[in-house]
Amino acid sequence: MSIERADGRSANELRPITIERNISRYAEGSAFIKWGNTHVLCTATVEEKVPPFMRGSGDGWVTAEYSMLPRSTHQRMQRDSSKGKINGRASEIQRLIGRSLRASVDMGLLGERSILIDCDVIQADGGTRTASITGGYVALLDALRFLVISEKLSVIPVKTQIAAVSAGKVSGSVLLDLCYEEDSAAEADTNLVMTSMGSFAEFQGTGEGGTFSRTELDEIINMGWNGIKELHRIQSQVLALTDEEKGLMTI
């Protein structure tokens, strides 16, 4: 079954994606990702400390924070600071971003320091978490490069590329990279986070008022992996990965 998509794309086609590096003057790594009409600013900050539960371990830490600007959506959203607490959705997303990006780093080689990835959604049209992970990886790698350039590390402690994409079932059809209109009408919705070798760092899938079959799941995974490979290509091109860096990415 085929479906006419809101923006005219084919079922297995990503929205247009651009990533601009070094967008922040002060951050050790930064990237501004435009994924269709979803725009996210990602910055990476290096801190020479780790959380209390990791002190003395010799390992580093990568974590993330995520927020949406008040007018990133159709109606103004109240800032978390004015509510006095982070909302549940943002908390779940930033944990996902942190888990996903940690999968790309050798924490032992990083040493007892932390890298904090801030993901701020400027404009939202579906897929903010996948854009945050994909753009966040670019900012993260540049922060790891900074540590080598500043002679705090002798080698970039990277194990793999990480990128993420959504896929779902809408009106009976499996579609890649759902925009807001599609996501809000989806019978099933998934997010795939995958390494350069095709392993999963995370897979989220749920029926949204519907179900999906084993056959449809296989189609989602195959379609998602093809999308991830294109995202890895875009990241590699934007980062101008060297052969040495590519040689470190083995999972």
Side-chain angles (χ1 to χ4, degrees):
M1 182 186 297
S2 61
I3 182 174
E4 184 174 347
R5 304 190 70 170
D7 50 13
R9 287 180 289 145
S10 61
N12 61 352
E13 185 178 357
L14 294 167
R15 288 172 288 177
I17 298 168
T18 61
I19 305 175
E20 182 180 356
R21 292 167 58 207
N22 303 318
I23 195 71
S24 171
R25 180 177 182 178
Y26 304 109
E28 285 79 11
S30 61
F32 185 39
I33 183 167
K34 294 183 177 180
W35 191 322
N37 288 319
T38 289
H39 302 168
V40 185
L41 174 63
C42 306
T43 58
T45 300
V46 175
E47 296 183 339
E48 293 297 323
K49 60 182 181 180
V50 291
F53 70 90
M54 294 197 66
R55 289 174 190 162
S57 68
D59 290 342
W61 188 245
V62 175
T63 189
E65 293 188 9
Y66 166 97
S67 65
M68 298 178 68
L69 295 188
R71 279 318 305 265
S72 59
T73 57
H74 295 88
Q75 290 82 36
R76 184 184 185 276
M77 298 175 59
Q78 189 177 3
R79 295 182 190 271
D80 288 335
S81 58
S82 66
K83 295 183 289 186
K85 63 178 181 179
I86 188 172
N87 70 63
R89 176 181 179 274
S91 179
E92 183 268 327
I93 290 174
Q94 67 186 30
R95 288 197 299 269
L96 167 66
I97 298 167
R99 288 194 304 270
S100 299
L101 295 180
R102 280 195 293 276
S104 71
V105 178
D106 186 321
M107 297 301 170
L109 290 178
L110 180 59
E112 285 199 30
R113 56 176 56 88
S114 299
I115 301 179
L116 173 62
I117 310 297
D118 283 294
C119 301
D120 293 291
V121 179
I122 311 298
Q123 183 171 281
D125 184 39
T128 60
R129 70 188 70 194
T130 55
S132 295
I133 293 166
T134 303
Y137 176 82
V138 173
L140 172 62
L141 188 67
D142 270 338
L144 296 175
R145 285 169 165 172
F146 166 84
L147 288 169
V148 174
I149 292 169
S150 59
E151 299 184 345
K152 294 181 178 180
L153 292 175
S154 59
V155 64
I156 297 175
V158 66
K159 298 190 295 185
T160 189
Q161 278 183 260
I162 288 288
V165 74
S166 68
K169 178 181 173 183
V170 182
S171 299
S173 295
V174 173
L175 305 177
L176 180 69
D177 184 20
L178 306 184
C179 65
Y180 174 78
E181 289 84 359
E182 293 167 342
D183 184 64
S184 61
E187 297 136 44
D189 184 21
T190 70
N191 293 294
L192 302 88
V193 186
M194 300 181 74
T195 73
S196 49
M197 298 299 173
S199 298
F200 283 97
E202 183 116 6
F203 180 86
Q204 298 179 330
T206 183
E208 301 281 355
T211 62
F212 53 102
S213 68
R214 181 66 175 269
T215 299
E216 288 166 334
L217 174 60
D218 290 341
E219 187 177 355
I220 284 170
I221 291 172
N222 291 334
M223 189 178 287
W225 172 229
N226 286 330
I228 293 281
K229 287 188 287 187
E230 174 62 14
L231 294 171
H232 286 155
R233 186 196 66 78
I234 293 170
Q235 288 174 325
S236 298
Q237 184 177 48
V238 168
L239 285 162
L241 291 178
T242 66
D243 290 339
E244 181 181 2
E245 288 169 337
K246 291 176 183 176
L248 297 171
M249 299 177 188
T250 58
I251 66 170

